[in-house]
Amino acid sequence: MSGGSYASAEDDAAADQSDAEGSVLSWLEDDALGADEAGGLSMEMLGEGPDVLDVLKCDLNLCKRPSVGFSCPLEKVKSQRMNFPRNWDPMEGAEYRVVNIMHPETRDAEREAECKDVLTKMFELPMDHEHVCLREVLEEIHKRTKYKVLRVERAQNVAQWKMHCALADAYGIEDNTDVYHGTQAKKKILESGFSLRYQRPDRDWFGKGVYCTTKAAIVMSYTGPRDPSKGDWTQAMIRASLKKGETRLGQKGLVETGQNPETGKEYLTMQSADGRILVATNQHQLLPTYAVEFEYDFDSQTTPTDSNFGRLHDAVWKEVLRRKALAEAPAVEIGAVTQSVPQRPPKKPRVSQAIEDGTKTQAHGGFKVGEVVSVYEHFKHFRFCNGELGEIKRIEKQRLWLFVLEMQNPVVRSMVEMVARKGNQGVDGVPLHQLVCKHGQIRTLAAAQGGAAGGVAP
């Protein structure tokens, strides 16, 4: 083949390639324009997917004409776009967005319905959010919990969403579980997702991982205010989508979760005995979906003990007590005017409060050392001891009065030691084979036969 004929063939191939690219791009633009007019994708949306021209060139190298063996890149982009959650706002080329969906003063019907759904589930309101307005939902929350909701945001993070979906595909997980996580680092979690690096070492009751719960009321007591020293009592809670996968009962300090012997799959989630507290061992199991900011109403006339939602955070509770003490303090003389405020008589301290921890005694509450008693309604780890007999070896005060028993049945004694070795005994200085009971967990033999709990009067 001569040089001239070779150049001619090369020119013909380049012309075919150019014609094919132009044909496909023209067809692609027409299809995208039609989709845009129909309310679907526009060419602007293609910027969020792969480089369309690169995909076209790759496919055109395999076939010179789009009608033979050609895979439409528009369908790939459409598929990628449509897989995003339906409630997301357009990303407009961004990888991360936070959308405020709480607008009590406006009438955005879709966002208002979304906000009401988030709040009614989080605060467990006994009302149908579809038949009430957002303002009524906020008033009901304040009435039941004494909290004022300040802000509700939807998190849209493309990178975190892709990792979340990739993990679900890798482990074959289809179901989602809505869980709650309290935090003072709301912005960082919404931007970068959850992380296993920032777990507090003293919070590993059910193993190492990211702790969350299906009950938002539980999170309230662990979610600290943002900056009380500056008067900022805002608390934040994140609602996330959890891919549970294989789940097992958690243990304190557990790191290696192992595999499910029945399925052979790795355990991804650990949980408490009642299933309300969940621990994700992989940070991509959790996808932040919403963030809610709220603040306790200190001007409320009722006390936190009247709330039927959950326990307050310690810092919030202390502030409630401080403000209450200031309100009840006697008036100070201002100029020539003095206002007297009647003082409540001081409360008499309980006898048990005057006794220091570690104090031992030979008798308390109708029981005495050396007495044989029956175990009654012990905690879940030691339920096998219920109805068994044991001898009281020691009575000691550790915040509460505790009774240390040595079980008479050697099998039960061995089981107590086995459970205690897992860290469930919780009392220092007690031999592992001895059982620690509270006053209400033991009965005298006479009371056990008669069906009554507790001892006899001392």
Side-chain angles (χ1 to χ4, degrees), residues 9-40:
E10 187 178 41
D11 292 342
D12 292 341
D16 291 343
Q17 178 78 3
S18 176
D19 292 343
E21 291 181 6
S23 175
V24 172
L25 285 175
S26 176
W27 163 78
L28 178 60
E29 291 174 356
D30 292 341
D31 194 0
L33 180 60
D36 187 40
E37 292 175 352

Side-chain angles (χ1 to χ4, degrees), residues 82-262:
M82 293 305 292
N83 282 336
F84 285 126
R86 294 183 178 272
N87 63 330
W88 278 20
D89 285 11
M91 296 300 296
E92 300 176 354
E95 286 289 315
Y96 162 70
R97 284 193 66 186
V98 173
V99 182
N100 184 10
I101 63 172
M102 192 181 86
H103 299 282
E105 304 301 332
T106 62
R107 302 302 300 176
D108 189 331
E110 291 186 2
R111 290 188 178 181
E112 181 174 318
E114 183 180 3
C115 183
K116 291 188 296 183
D117 179 67
V118 172
L119 294 177
T120 52
K121 290 180 179 178
M122 176 176 290
F123 290 94
E124 303 176 11
L125 301 182
M127 59 193 313
D128 186 358
H129 66 83
E130 295 182 357
H131 297 90
V132 295
C133 67
L134 178 56
R135 189 177 301 279
E136 291 178 285
V137 173
L138 298 176
E139 291 175 354
E140 183 66 18
I141 292 174
H142 182 268
K143 177 182 176 182
R144 289 171 54 84
T145 68
K146 314 310 172 192
Y147 277 104
K148 297 181 292 185
V149 179
L150 307 178
R151 191 177 182 88
V152 181
E153 298 170 320
R154 184 202 311 126
Q156 301 181 184
N157 192 315
V158 176
Q160 292 300 319
W161 175 81
K162 288 180 179 179
M163 294 299 296
H164 188 64
C165 294
L167 180 140
D169 293 340
Y171 287 92
I173 306 173
E174 297 181 358
D175 297 335
N176 291 320
T177 303
D178 288 333
V179 295
Y180 301 96
H181 178 86
T183 180
Q184 294 176 319
K186 182 202 74 172
K187 183 178 180 181
K188 189 169 186 177
I189 292 178
L190 295 185
E191 288 181 354
S192 308
F194 291 94
S195 176
L196 300 176
R197 294 179 299 171
Y198 302 108
Q199 182 187 9
R200 287 176 49 175
D202 60 329
R203 291 188 178 177
D204 60 346
W205 306 296
F206 304 104
K208 301 289 184 180
V210 181
Y211 277 66
C212 50
T213 176
T214 56
K215 299 278 290 184
I218 298 178
V219 181
M220 292 289 201
S221 60
Y222 296 99
T223 306
R226 184 179 296 161
D227 194 350
S229 62
K230 297 181 180 180
D232 187 356
W233 294 92
T234 303
Q235 298 171 261
M237 186 187 306
I238 291 178
R239 174 174 144 181
S241 174
L242 171 66
K243 298 288 187 181
K244 289 179 63 175
E246 297 292 333
T247 306
R248 61 165 292 177
L249 186 65
Q251 296 178 2
K252 183 174 178 60
L254 183 64
V255 178
E256 297 294 334
T257 57
Q259 295 181 340
N260 188 331
E262 297 181 358

Side-chain angles (χ1 to χ4, degrees), residues 342-406:
Q343 294 290 311
R344 293 184 178 180
K347 295 182 179 180
K348 296 182 180 180
R350 296 181 180 178
V351 177
S352 58
Q353 293 177 342
I355 302 177
E356 296 181 356
D357 288 347
T359 303
K360 298 179 182 179
T361 183
Q362 293 296 311
H364 178 77
F367 300 100
K368 59 184 179 180
V369 175
E371 182 180 2
V372 176
V373 296
S374 174
V375 180
Y376 176 75
E377 293 187 355
H378 210 289
F379 299 125
K380 61 179 183 298
H381 296 296
F382 298 99
R383 285 176 182 168
F384 58 87
C385 296
N386 292 341
E388 297 290 338
L389 301 181
E391 180 183 351
I392 300 178
K393 292 294 186 179
R394 183 169 55 176
I395 302 176
E396 183 176 345
K397 185 177 183 298
Q398 294 289 350
R399 194 171 63 86
L400 300 174
W401 283 102
L402 301 178
F403 301 81
V404 181
L405 309 184
E406 183 161 331

